[in-house]
Amino acid sequence: MFLVAADGSADAQGLPGLRVVRDDRVTVLGRPGHDLLLFEGVLYPDSGMTPERLLRMLRSTADASTAADWASVKGRYAGAYLCARPSGTRLLAFNDHLGVADLYAWIEGPDRAVRGFAVSNAFAALLPQLPASARRLDERAADAFRVLGATVNGRTFARGVRRQPPGTLLALDAGTVRRGRSWRYRFEPAAGDVNEALDRCWQLIEQAGRRIEACAPQDGPALLGISGGHDSRVTGAACTAAGMKLTGYFFGERHSSAGRAADQVARALGTPLDFAGRNRELPRYFAASLRHQPMADLEWCKYLPGRDALVTGARALLSGRLGDHLFSDKGHQPENGPQDDRGIAADLIRELAKEDVGAAAAEGIVADVTQELAGLGGSGVQRRRGFNFQSMSMSVKQCGLFHTLGKIPHYSVFEDIDVFESALELPNAWRVDNRFYDTLLERRQPSLARNRIAVPTTNEHKPIEHWLRGNAEFAAQAGQLLDPDEDMALHGGRRTFGEALEAILAGRATRNEIHQYFRRATVKAYERTHG
């Protein structure tokens, strides 16, 4: 579903300022000429909030919806509310606390003013609805993608489209746009007893599993991507406890170390496991993945067509998305280093940079990161983790893993706002070496604990430099995207894209060179299609 609001437009019913292109999952409430709510997503049934109650809340607070008003609107949702008043029509767009459902702003003109907004479940589907000028490649977003592997500060590849932060309230009133927030990322570790924290987190994770069971369509099994790691173990345990019938799947070789661990996890959960494809087969999906999700690179292309054979008859797709951000070592950030926004931004670029794009482009990325950090507030640790969540973790949504072309919805227990906020209270020291995660499993799900199923530290079949060697299918797709004579920017030297592809196919390229090649190919594919 996507909605586009623009000055001077009207939909088929003559409603001013709103053009609607929708599918059957959109709930429409209200009546033309008075007010209208278009809503997509799910609200947690145990919260007592329904779309009808949400409409009543919006009617009563049409001029000033506060964060307190939205505190009980828990779920994964996005929508738009139109209120027709004597003084003019007002539009309000909103998304959920964690930004699970996307809200975009359409920005255009020399003043870079917001011209409207969009609520979309597919970035690729949104683009054709906008003018060509709004779809042109945003060079700063492309620079950030090549350097960091993600766009930052809400930028997308489309010059006129910005993704809004989690918990955004975007009001378009008489040609003026105001942005508020119903929720802000706050990492504030609370001193407390680890045993109490373990009990509370597990209770909320089980509650999240029950919410998924209540919200997901009711026919067929739920598909769970099982990697053998902590995230999929906890997700599987919570959803199984909620009564969901699961079918696991794994991408990669059955007899790899990760494949063997995934098989053990599936056995412990009592679920069948489907090995959906070998790594060697994955490059054939690169072009299809880019058509569906124009900001996804090879790392994620395996999850789109390779999984489509599984989704027939399935009720939902499950994953452990965001789990590592909350409970594992990835959540740990150093407490030393710069504390000012620009200093932290420059430090992050030094830590994360994967490609040298030159001083001017690097300064633009630092400026965008600085602006995003300024909107987070809090300590240096809090802003670092907030940046990782809002830009780095949320950018993973662009991969094919969380999209099934609208066939079935995706859920993660870690996308539950109560689980998320509870995990933010855990001190960093508890995350080191996965201490909290391991203890959680040992006490609550001993059959899934580390001492029963070892987490693989290496996967001999996973490295992409192995399965791209001599891969003619990949060579045919990649050769259509990049000019073989054009230089490819590399740290410590230069080579053409043709030379890089030759090295990849011969097995002589480093992993960083391979990822650089694919990031460049991803940007070029977007530019050729939309730019």
Side-chain angles (χ1 to χ4, degrees):
M1 177 270 283
F2 34 91
L3 319 172
V4 179
D7 295 340
S9 69
D11 73 354
Q13 295 177 307
L15 293 172
L18 187 64
R19 179 158 50 94
V20 182
V21 185
R22 67 185 182 88
D23 61 27
D24 292 337
R25 288 178 294 164
V26 180
T27 300
V28 181
L29 300 172
R31 62 182 186 276
H34 179 63
D35 60 6
L36 181 71
L37 172 65
L38 295 107
F39 179 90
E40 186 193 45
V42 293
L43 295 166
Y44 299 155
D46 55 18
S47 71
M49 179 60 70
T50 63
E52 290 76 15
R53 285 191 61 191
L54 177 60
L55 177 59
R56 290 197 294 272
M57 184 193 87
L58 288 167
R59 282 173 174 163
S60 64
T61 60
D63 291 318
S65 294
T66 66
D69 295 325
W70 289 90
S72 62
V73 189
K74 294 182 178 181
R76 33 179 302 150
Y77 56 83
Y81 173 67
L82 179 146
C83 178
R85 301 175 302 179
S87 59
T89 299
R90 182 175 186 270
L91 288 163
L92 177 71
F94 52 86
N95 64 346
D96 60 77
H97 300 75
L98 294 186
V100 178
D102 276 324
L103 174 63
Y104 298 91
W106 169 19
I107 302 170
E108 199 170 35
D111 57 352
R112 303 297 293 157
V114 176
R115 304 302 185 196
F117 57 76
V119 180
S120 174
N121 60 9
F123 180 63
L126 167 64
L127 293 174
Q129 307 302 316
L130 298 175
S133 57
R135 300 195 303 265
R136 286 199 202 86
L137 179 68
D138 183 335
E139 293 291 350
R140 278 185 49 175
D143 289 339
F145 184 77
R146 289 192 290 261
V147 172
L148 302 174
T151 58
V152 297
N153 197 28
R155 288 184 183 270
T156 70
F157 281 178
R159 186 179 303 175
V161 181
R162 293 287 185 94
R163 181 183 294 107
Q164 299 301 290
T168 290
L169 304 173
L170 194 64
L172 181 63
D173 193 355
T176 301
V177 175
R178 299 190 308 275
R179 190 176 80 180
R181 300 286 296 276
S182 65
W183 181 84
R184 288 181 180 274
Y185 183 100
R186 288 290 182 263
F187 171 57
E188 297 175 349
D193 181 77
V194 65
N195 293 312
E196 292 178 1
L198 286 163
D199 289 341
R200 174 168 171 74
C201 280
W202 190 257
Q203 289 167 3
L204 293 175
I205 288 170
E206 287 190 319
Q207 174 182 273
R210 292 192 296 271
R211 286 171 168 172
I212 293 172
E213 165 64 18
C215 293
Q218 293 305 304
D219 296 327
L223 302 178
L224 171 65
I226 297 178
S227 64
H230 290 81
D231 303 334
S232 56
R233 300 183 199 201
V234 169
T235 301
C239 292
T240 299
M244 297 189 79
K245 179 182 178 182
L246 303 183
T247 295
Y249 67 91
F250 176 83
F251 283 102
E253 281 69 22
R254 180 185 296 267
H255 300 297
S256 65
S257 56
R260 291 192 295 271
D263 186 60
Q264 292 179 66
V265 171
R267 290 175 185 274
L269 290 171
T271 66
L273 181 63
D274 191 329
F275 288 83
R278 298 180 302 116
N279 284 321
R280 182 73 177 171
E281 301 167 348
L282 303 184
R284 72 178 60 170
Y285 305 138
F286 185 51
S289 181
L290 291 179
R291 284 193 298 272
H292 174 58
Q293 198 52 267
M295 294 168 63
D297 63 15
L298 177 70
E299 275 296 278
W300 306 105
C301 72
K302 60 187 178 184
Y303 295 111
L304 184 62
R307 191 197 48 221
D308 275 2
L310 295 173
V311 302
T312 303
R315 62 182 295 203
L317 179 67
L318 307 175
S319 80
R321 186 179 111 76
L322 294 182
D324 56 1
H325 174 78
L326 297 177
F327 293 124
S328 77
D329 285 340
K330 290 185 179 180
H332 179 69
Q333 294 286 351
E335 299 190 19
N336 54 4
Q339 295 299 303
D340 64 293
D341 291 331
R342 197 188 184 288
I344 293 175
D347 204 36
L348 285 167
I349 299 302
R350 283 191 294 271
E351 292 174 12
L352 301 172
K354 301 173 175 67
E355 181 178 325
D356 183 4
V357 293
E363 182 57 36
I365 301 171
V366 169
D368 276 336
V369 175
T370 300
Q371 186 175 351
E372 182 158 325
L373 290 169
L376 292 171
S379 68
V381 171
Q382 180 177 331
R383 280 172 283 153
R384 281 172 173 265
R385 293 195 77 230
F387 170 77
N388 180 61
F389 166 60
Q390 289 197 179
S391 277
M392 308 305 287
S393 292
M394 298 307 282
S395 72
V396 175
K397 288 202 307 180
Q398 297 305 314
C399 78
L401 174 58
F402 310 110
H403 296 274
T404 56
L405 298 176
K407 294 179 180 178
I408 58 175
H410 167 266
Y411 299 94
S412 169
V413 295
F414 305 105
E415 288 178 340
D416 185 290
I417 183 61
D418 292 329
V419 173
F420 198 95
E421 289 186 326
S422 176
L424 291 183
E425 297 178 355
L426 304 178
N428 262 335
W430 294 3
R431 307 171 199 273
V432 178
D433 296 326
N434 288 323
R435 293 172 190 167
F436 190 87
Y437 236 159
D438 283 335
T439 308
L440 192 70
L441 287 171
E442 287 169 4
R443 296 194 182 180
R444 292 293 186 168
Q445 293 290 326
S447 64
L448 294 167
R450 181 190 289 267
N451 59 3
R452 296 292 300 273
I453 303 171
V455 178
T457 56
T458 61
N459 182 353
E460 64 273 23
H461 296 279
K462 187 175 182 180
I464 56 178
E465 55 266 35
H466 294 167
W467 47 265
L468 288 179
R469 181 181 299 163
N471 199 309
E473 288 185 83
F474 158 66
Q477 290 194 25
Q480 297 175 8
L481 292 171
L482 298 172
D483 181 350
D485 296 323
E486 184 180 344
D487 278 346
M488 173 181 176
L490 295 168
H491 287 297
R494 303 192 71 85
R495 65 168 41 149
T496 66
F497 286 115
E499 291 168 340
L501 180 58
E502 182 180 339
I504 291 172
L505 295 176
R508 293 184 283 102
T510 66
R511 184 171 301 188
N512 187 47
E513 289 173 337
I514 294 171
H515 280 285
Q516 283 179 303
Y517 189 96
F518 280 111
R519 286 192 294 271
R520 291 275 179 166
T522 300
V523 172
K524 182 60 67 174
Y526 178 89
E527 193 171 19
R528 287 190 179 183
T529 305
H530 303 286

